[in-house]
Amino acid sequence: MVERRAASLKQQRSIETREALLSGAARVFSDLSYSGTRLRTIANESGISEGAMYFHFGTKAELANAVLAEQQERMTEVLASMQEEEGDALEKLVLLMNRLAVLISTDRIVQGGIRLAADPNVEITADARDPYFEWIAIAQSLIEEGVRDGSIRADVVPAAAAEYANALFVGAQVLSGLEDGWVSFPSRIDRLTPFLRRELGD
Amino acid sequence: MVERRAASLKQQRSIETREALLSGAARVFSDLSYSGTRLRTIANESGISEGAMYFHFGTKAELANAVLAEQQERMTEVLASMQEEEGDALEKLVLLMNRLAVLISTDRIVQGGIRLAADPNVEITADARDPYFEWIAIAQSLIEEGVRDGSIRADVVPAAAAEYANALFVGAQVLSGLEDGWVSFPSRIDRLTPFLRRELGD
Amino acid sequence: MVERRAASLKQQRSIETREALLSGAARVFSDLSYSGTRLRTIANESGISEGAMYFHFGTKAELANAVLAEQQERMTEVLASMQEEEGDALEKLVLLMNRLAVLISTDRIVQGGIRLAADPNVEITADARDPYFEWIAIAQSLIEEGVRDGSIRADVVPAAAAEYANALFVGAQVLSGLEDGWVSFPSRIDRLTPFLRRELGD
Amino acid sequence: MVERRAASLKQQRSIETREALLSGAARVFSDLSYSGTRLRTIANESGISEGAMYFHFGTKAELANAVLAEQQERMTEVLASMQEEEGDALEKLVLLMNRLAVLISTDRIVQGGIRLAADPNVEITADARDPYFEWIAIAQSLIEEGVRDGSIRADVVPAAAAEYANALFVGAQVLSGLEDGWVSFPSRIDRLTPFLRRELGD
DNA sequence: CATGAATGAGTTTTCATTCAT
DNA sequence: CATGAATGAAAACTCATTCAT
């Protein structure tokens, strides 16, 4: 037991350092562009030495990709959580938008990942936009489900409606990001939800 | 005459260099972030030497700001052009969105300006976002006008409707930017216009 | 003419800088190993800024490879110069060893190249040893020629004799390098030449 | 007893770690230059942690010097072994060259030491070249002995002959090192021995 | 004694800016 | 005005060494 704790503690510090770097990096990346952020800034923000960044992540690009991977995981988690929800499809769609908005407005790693995913930089993993496209696909399948379960009008064209929902969501996200760093994102979504309900609802 | 022509030729050359730099810079800025673009890249893209940039624009930041100023001018031109349009306010709103989408999808300087305006960088003039807010204000005043002229339903709340139109527009812009560098922006707007008409129209 | 001189002068400075860097680098590389030499040291030795090195050579490895390329050229020149010599083959072989020894003992770029070629470093061009093998091949063909022209004994086996001459030459080179930085290389070769003559000569 | 065995085991482990480090270091040093080898590489090669190196050797330079010391010991052992040999001096000289070649071609620590001894680095003990000079001195005294015992011709000048033997030996060593990491060193020496016998022998 | 994470001084490399021609 | 080589401050990255466990 004693030995295991020792080993565990050794690992523990490493894990803490890694997490501190990851979230510090995410905070800085969410405020500045990839090229614009200095590793020194991340080190200061994290309270970790610059050398430690290289021990844990190797290069700036890998650190950014680690933030993106963590963001993807957290967003995928929310998308997956919808599977277990009760209620009709329209309600699920509204709920999903709300949950994503809340996640984005509160989770600094997700915010960092969003900025990085939008950053035009060859060093950053190209599939960083996967969650976006996944979200679109899920929106469309929910709309199709809604047409079947009667919560969405029969004359709605799923592909067009999904594009519409997507544009609203992304527009709100970008505007709240510019306005106040996503703080207002959930309330923006709330204000736009009635438009979505009227267009899709029965 | 000879001297004047010589002077004129010199001026001519200077103007051409300036324009080549401005549009080359805009092209590069629209593909990379501000920090991510190298002046050497702009020089190569423009076919102009690096040193010449300093004669015409002083610094990288001033070059970026010149792109932004030119973008503002071109967008403001479109906004201003609406004054002269006939037709009811709803039609004008739809037309305005279409014109802006066409401008953004075709004008590389405007594209460069859009990326720069979204770039989180202290060196870039803060009021780069003015046209955004101007567009919102114009959208709102058009909606108010529409309520008065009967082209927009009386129960529409102008502020909320303006936020809605804005979100749709910005969402379409961002998505088309990611998808294909704004080529599909006008067609996206066309596909979203029916949703706007239904929500606002009489 | 004035314009050409201006252009030429512009180039001239660039050429001078490049040469200063190349020979400064060669001097430092010949005193320290590849990994052991600091670019700062080369910059100081050359009287050129560190940034200029990157303008001209891009990276440390490319600078080292440029030194090697220059060394190869100079050694190949000596090898080629043998074509035009009169005399029997044994005299030519002795003359070649002497010329190479003089070149190595006096040319700092060649000295730098020798150290680099012996440096086990993946970043350094693998074919850096080409001149060595070329020298061996030339030695062997001279010995074959000597057997034919009667200056070398008929019972000499060319391959074995070439290996012998090569070992003597390389041994003298290494020992004089350790002893005094190749200053004594030509005199060492002079002291060893009688042994070579006795073994090969008629 | 228990305590003594524990202590003994501890010591045993310590000795094994030290030896693993020493031979791992020698292998890496023989493949890369002193500055070019990373302590991490040695640690991986040895299967020992990086931290352990500091317990056993203090610094990188001391580790390198430990390899050199071990090499000196092993080479001195061979030199000393000649004292006990029977036969005339020329045979002893040939035998010595052969034994050294075999040692160098098979002993990785000796190989590491050879590379280190040739490495131009201030951190490495200056007297690393002692065995070289010792070997030269022994060669010369054997030649003098050979002149006396009649196995070497009377007209041979010992100093010149020693320089000759030395150049042949070093040349063969360097060439076999470049060719295949010293594997062919003994056979090279065998091929060169006839040249030595002819020049010195009666 | 052993481990491997952490540190920070030192090294290579980048790039906006300057300047001689 | 235009060019492109040169500069130097700042950035990314390396690695010997230390140290907590």
Side-chain angles (χ1 to χ4, degrees), chain A residues 17 49 51-52 55-56:
Chain A
T17 300
S49 75
F55 181 84
H56 285 280

Side-chain angles (χ1 to χ4, degrees), chain D residues 1-192:
Chain D
M1 273 296 271
V2 169
E3 302 241 11
R4 281 187 63 167
R5 182 185 293 168
S8 164
L9 282 174
K10 262 191 196 171
Q11 257 185 290
Q12 189 54 31
R13 187 183 177 193
S14 175
I15 289 169
E16 281 166 8
T17 300
R18 198 189 141 88
E19 284 177 353
L21 279 170
L22 205 61
S23 78
R27 284 194 298 279
V28 178
F29 282 135
S30 86
D31 284 347
L32 307 166
S33 71
Y34 176 76
S35 300
T37 96
R38 310 289 150 230
L39 290 182
R40 177 157 306 177
T41 309
I42 292 176
N44 292 342
E45 175 73 22
S46 314
I48 302 293
S49 75
E50 285 181 73
M53 312 183 64
Y54 289 89
F55 179 84
H56 288 280
F57 296 99
T59 69
K60 181 183 179 182
E62 285 175 57
L63 176 55
N65 283 322
V67 170
L68 280 164
E70 184 63 26
Q71 176 222 7
Q72 294 204 19
E73 195 172 313
R74 296 185 188 193
M75 293 197 70
T76 302
E77 218 167 83
V78 168
L79 295 174
S81 77
M82 295 315 296
Q83 312 291 2
E84 306 152 10
E85 286 301 320
E86 307 281 319
D88 62 37
L90 180 55
E91 288 317 304
K92 281 195 204 168
L93 180 62
V94 169
L95 184 62
L96 174 56
M97 288 173 66
N98 177 265
R99 282 193 183 163
L100 286 173
V102 168
L103 177 68
I104 289 169
S105 77
T106 55
D107 190 319
R108 308 265 358 215
I109 286 188
V110 169
Q111 291 169 10
I114 284 177
R115 280 260 204 259
L116 286 171
D119 196 294
N121 200 301
V122 287
E123 289 174 337
I124 299 177
T125 292
D127 53 63
R129 292 157 194 160
D130 278 359
Y132 269 104
F133 295 117
E134 198 173 346
W135 136 253
I136 296 176
I138 289 178
Q140 180 158 350
S141 74
L142 279 174
I143 290 167
E144 285 163 353
E145 186 186 327
V147 171
R148 286 193 301 274
D149 73 18
S151 60
I152 292 179
R153 283 201 315 278
D155 63 340
V156 162
V157 179
E163 187 181 6
Y164 171 71
N166 197 23
L168 274 182
F169 184 78
V170 169
Q173 179 199 305
V174 169
L175 288 166
S176 68
L178 286 174
E179 186 188 357
D180 53 19
W182 296 288
V183 171
S184 63
F185 191 18
S187 58
R188 266 185 191 265
I189 286 295
D190 287 346
R191 292 198 298 274
L192 293 174

Side-chain angles (χ1 to χ4, degrees), chain B:
Chain B
M1 271 298 269
V2 168
E3 302 239 10
R4 280 189 60 170
R5 184 184 294 167
S8 163
L9 281 175
K10 260 193 198 169
Q11 258 186 288
Q12 188 56 31
R13 187 184 178 194
S14 174
I15 288 168
E16 281 166 8
T17 300
R18 198 191 141 86
E19 283 176 355
L21 278 171
L22 204 60
S23 79
R27 284 195 298 280
V28 178
F29 282 135
S30 86
D31 284 347
L32 307 166
S33 70
Y34 175 76
S35 300
T37 97
R38 310 287 152 232
L39 290 182
R40 176 157 306 178
T41 309
I42 292 176
N44 291 344
E45 174 74 21
S46 313
I48 302 292
S49 75
E50 285 180 73
M53 312 183 64
Y54 289 88
F55 179 84
H56 287 280
F57 296 100
T59 68
K60 180 183 181 182
E62 284 174 58
L63 176 54
N65 284 321
V67 171
L68 279 164
E70 184 64 25
Q71 175 221 10
Q72 293 204 19
E73 197 172 310
R74 297 186 187 191
M75 292 197 71
T76 302
E77 220 168 82
V78 168
L79 294 173
S81 77
M82 296 313 297
Q83 313 291 0
E84 305 151 11
E85 286 301 322
E86 307 281 318
D88 63 37
L90 181 53
E91 288 316 306
K92 282 196 204 168
L93 181 61
V94 169
L95 184 62
L96 175 56
M97 288 173 66
N98 177 268
R99 283 192 181 165
L100 287 173
V102 168
L103 177 68
I104 289 169
S105 78
T106 55
D107 189 319
R108 308 273 345 225
I109 285 187
V110 169
Q111 290 168 11
I114 283 177
R115 279 261 205 258
L116 285 171
D119 197 294
N121 200 301
V122 288
E123 289 173 338
I124 299 177
T125 293
D127 54 63
R129 292 158 194 161
D130 278 2
Y132 268 104
F133 294 117
E134 200 173 344
W135 134 254
I136 295 177
I138 289 179
Q140 181 160 349
S141 74
L142 279 173
I143 289 167
E144 285 163 354
E145 188 186 327
V147 171
R148 285 194 301 274
D149 74 17
S151 62
I152 290 179
R153 281 204 312 280
D155 63 339
V156 163
V157 180
E163 186 182 8
Y164 170 72
N166 197 25
L168 273 184
F169 184 79
V170 169
Q173 178 199 306
V174 169
L175 289 166
S176 69
L178 286 174
E179 187 187 356
D180 53 21
W182 297 287
V183 172
S184 63
F185 191 18
S187 58
R188 265 184 192 266
I189 286 293
D190 288 345
R191 290 198 299 274
L192 292 174
T193 299
F195 292 89
L196 186 75
R197 284 187 194 280
R198 267 199 299 277
E199 287 299 312
L200 303 191
D202 199 15

Side-chain angles (χ1 to χ4, degrees), chain C residues 56-78:
Chain C
H56 286 280
F57 297 100
T59 67
K60 180 182 179 182
E62 285 175 58
L63 177 55
N65 283 322
V67 170
L68 280 164
E70 185 63 25
Q71 176 222 5
Q72 294 205 18
E73 198 172 310
R74 297 186 186 192
M75 292 198 70
T76 302
E77 219 168 83
V78 168

Side-chain angles (χ1 to χ4, degrees), chain A residues 13-23 48 56-57 66:
Chain A
R13 188 181 175 197
S14 175
I15 289 169
E16 281 166 8
T17 300
R18 201 190 137 88
E19 282 175 355
L21 279 170
L22 208 59
S23 78
I48 302 290
H56 285 280
F57 297 101

Side-chain angles (χ1 to χ4, degrees), chain A:
Chain A
M1 273 299 270
V2 169
E3 298 214 30
R4 281 189 63 168
R5 184 185 294 168
S8 166
L9 281 177
K10 209 193 294 184
Q11 278 190 324
Q12 192 52 35
R13 188 181 175 197
S14 175
I15 289 169
E16 281 166 8
T17 300
R18 201 190 137 88
E19 282 175 355
L21 279 170
L22 208 59
S23 78
R27 285 194 298 278
V28 179
F29 281 135
S30 85
D31 284 347
L32 307 166
S33 71
Y34 175 76
S35 301
T37 94
R38 308 290 154 228
L39 291 179
R40 166 103 20 122
T41 311
I42 292 176
N44 292 343
E45 175 75 21
S46 312
I48 302 290
S49 75
E50 279 180 74
M53 310 182 57
Y54 292 94
F55 181 84
H56 285 280
F57 297 101
T59 67
K60 182 182 177 183
E62 285 175 59
L63 176 55
N65 283 322
V67 171
L68 279 163
E70 184 64 25
Q71 177 222 5
Q72 293 205 18
E73 197 171 311
R74 295 186 187 192
M75 293 198 69
T76 302
E77 218 167 85
V78 169
L79 295 173
S81 76
M82 297 313 297
Q83 312 290 2
E84 305 151 9
E85 286 302 321
E86 307 280 320
D88 63 38
L90 181 54
E91 288 316 305
K92 283 195 203 166
L93 181 61
V94 169
L95 183 61
L96 174 55
M97 290 174 64
N98 176 266
R99 283 191 183 167
L100 286 172
V102 168
L103 177 68
I104 290 168
S105 76
T106 55
D107 189 320
R108 309 275 345 225
I109 286 188
V110 169
Q111 291 169 9
I114 283 176
R115 279 261 204 258
L116 286 172
D119 195 295
N121 199 301
V122 287
E123 289 173 336
I124 298 178
T125 290
D127 53 63
R129 292 158 194 160
D130 277 1
Y132 269 104
F133 294 117
E134 200 173 343
W135 135 252
I136 295 176
I138 288 179
Q140 181 159 348
S141 74
L142 279 175
I143 290 168
E144 286 163 353
E145 188 187 327
V147 171
R148 284 195 302 275
D149 75 16
S151 62
I152 291 179
R153 281 204 313 281
D155 63 340
V156 162
V157 180
E163 187 181 4
Y164 170 72
N166 197 25
L168 273 184
F169 184 78
V170 169
Q173 179 199 305
V174 169
L175 289 166
S176 68
L178 287 174
E179 187 188 356
D180 54 20
W182 297 287
V183 171
S184 62
F185 191 17
S187 57
R188 265 185 193 265
I189 286 294
D190 287 345
R191 291 198 299 272
L192 293 173
T193 299
F195 292 90
L196 186 75
R197 285 186 194 278
R198 269 198 298 276
E199 287 298 312
L200 303 191
D202 197 17

